[in-house]
Amino acid sequence: MSIENSEPNAPSNPLSNARIVLVHTTHPGNIGAVARAMKNMGLQQLYLVKPKAFPHERAIWRSASAVDILDNAVVVETLEEAVADCGLVVGTSARGRRIPWPLVNPRVCAEKVYPELAQHPVALVFGREDRGLTNEELQACHLHVNIPASEDYSSLNLGMAVQVVSYELRMHHLAMQDQLSTDEMQEWDTRMARVDEIERMFVHLEETLIEMDFLNPAAPKQLMTRLRRLYNRTRMDDLEVQMMRGILTSTQQWVRKARDK
């Protein structure tokens, strides 16, 4: 699976399509804390639904070096405006609802959200500091995410909640990057050598070593076994095998000419 989707408008970094939406935030400092959490995790889009006070110096102070997130924040009047162009909307929910809704933890949320980021913006919606999202707002979401905090003390401030959800999204992003980076041969310039080609090279190598009097066929010991182990530690492509065969052929010709003198 490639991080860069084949869609013509797919973003080079899917996280750029992750949108944090804050609904009716009361304290401007919390907006700053959210901006900082977002920048820590590589998220850029911040939408504010009717915040009580924004712009505000306290938001700037709490954002530390994430003022650019605040500068680019989009302020709208309704949740509908904030998510109108999104293909998936995820609402944070701290409690069970009368009507069951698809509910996941942040890790599973990241797994579900990430593949869609290459196709369209995805909104992660966070509610008011004191009471979260209303039932009506939650019903506007496709999916609900709940942070499984300790039952003894489950209170999370807004910045912490955004940090947790954003962290899981970033970790999934990094895992996908690592998965791609482990495929060392994905952009190789030629095909890998076949087993039969490698075997012919080993036969050619053994013949050459015998001609050079480096290998005594009557007492070979473990020479060819160790050479096999040496070459097999690196996968050879077809051009590399051809180069080796060319070197061995030239070596044989040199040995034969030396003997003929």
Side-chain angles (χ1 to χ4, degrees):
M1 175 181 177
S2 175
I3 289 296
E4 293 192 7
N5 193 280
S6 58
E7 298 282 340
N9 296 321
S12 57
N13 179 3
L15 293 183
S16 65
N17 254 348
R19 177 178 303 174
I20 299 297
V21 179
L22 306 184
V23 177
H24 293 190
T25 310
T26 301
H27 304 291
N30 286 335
I31 297 175
V34 166
R36 184 174 184 175
M38 290 174 60
K39 191 159 186 177
N40 283 155
M41 297 298 115
L43 275 59
Q44 303 165 10
Q45 291 192 41
L46 175 60
Y47 277 58
L48 305 174
V49 178
K50 208 170 184 178
K52 185 174 182 179
F54 186 84
H56 196 281
E57 60 182 10
R58 193 159 185 81
I60 295 173
W61 177 71
R62 288 286 301 278
S63 71
S65 296
V67 178
D68 57 315
I69 302 291
L70 298 179
D71 289 341
N72 294 315
V74 178
V75 180
V76 295
E77 286 294 308
T78 66
L79 177 59
E80 290 76 12
E81 290 177 80
V83 303
D85 62 334
C86 294
L88 176 66
V89 181
V90 180
T92 51
S93 176
R95 59 189 185 277
R97 302 287 164 171
R98 182 175 299 176
I99 300 176
W101 216 264
L103 181 67
V104 296
N105 63 41
R107 188 157 299 174
V108 176
C109 176
E111 294 171 358
K112 290 180 175 294
V113 163
Y114 191 81
E116 298 205 26
L117 291 174
Q119 305 168 32
H120 44 236
V122 173
L124 301 166
V125 185
F126 296 79
R128 302 152 187 81
E129 292 97 331
D130 58 344
R131 54 194 173 91
L133 297 169
T134 65
N135 286 335
E136 184 178 1
E137 289 162 348
L138 282 167
Q139 288 167 16
C141 302
H142 301 95
L143 181 69
H144 295 170
V145 59
N146 173 260
I147 299 173
S150 170
E151 294 180 359
D152 295 333
Y153 189 63
S154 59
S155 176
L156 289 173
N157 66 39
L158 189 55
M160 292 168 62
V162 172
Q163 185 83 71
V164 170
V165 174
S166 300
Y167 169 80
E168 291 295 347
L169 194 53
R170 178 161 185 79
M171 289 303 293
H172 192 76
H173 173 66
L174 293 176
M176 296 304 296
Q177 296 263 328
D178 288 343
Q179 182 176 322
L180 287 177
S181 67
T182 57
D183 184 6
E184 330 180 301
M185 305 302 179
Q186 62 178 337
E187 294 183 359
W188 209 250
D189 58 347
T190 186
R191 66 173 178 80
M192 294 297 103
R194 298 191 305 268
V195 172
D196 60 337
E197 294 171 330
I198 295 289
E199 282 302 314
R200 285 196 292 271
M201 184 199 75
F202 282 132
V203 170
H204 196 171
L205 176 60
E206 185 172 12
E207 291 172 349
T208 304
L209 293 175
I210 291 172
E211 283 195 57
M212 295 169 58
D213 292 330
F214 188 86
L215 170 61
N216 181 358
K221 299 184 179 179
Q222 297 293 317
L223 179 60
M224 288 307 301
T225 300
R226 291 185 179 277
L227 286 173
R228 279 178 174 272
R229 185 175 67 177
L230 171 64
Y231 282 105
N232 284 335
R233 282 207 295 267
T234 301
R235 289 187 64 193
M236 299 176 71
D237 63 37
D238 64 323
L239 292 180
E240 291 166 342
V241 170
Q242 290 177 38
M243 287 190 295
M244 280 297 301
R245 296 289 300 273
I247 292 170
L248 293 174
T249 298
S250 293
T251 302
Q252 287 176 313
Q253 291 172 349
W254 185 87
V255 170
R256 290 165 187 168
K257 287 179 182 177
R259 286 180 176 169
D260 291 341
K261 288 183 179 178

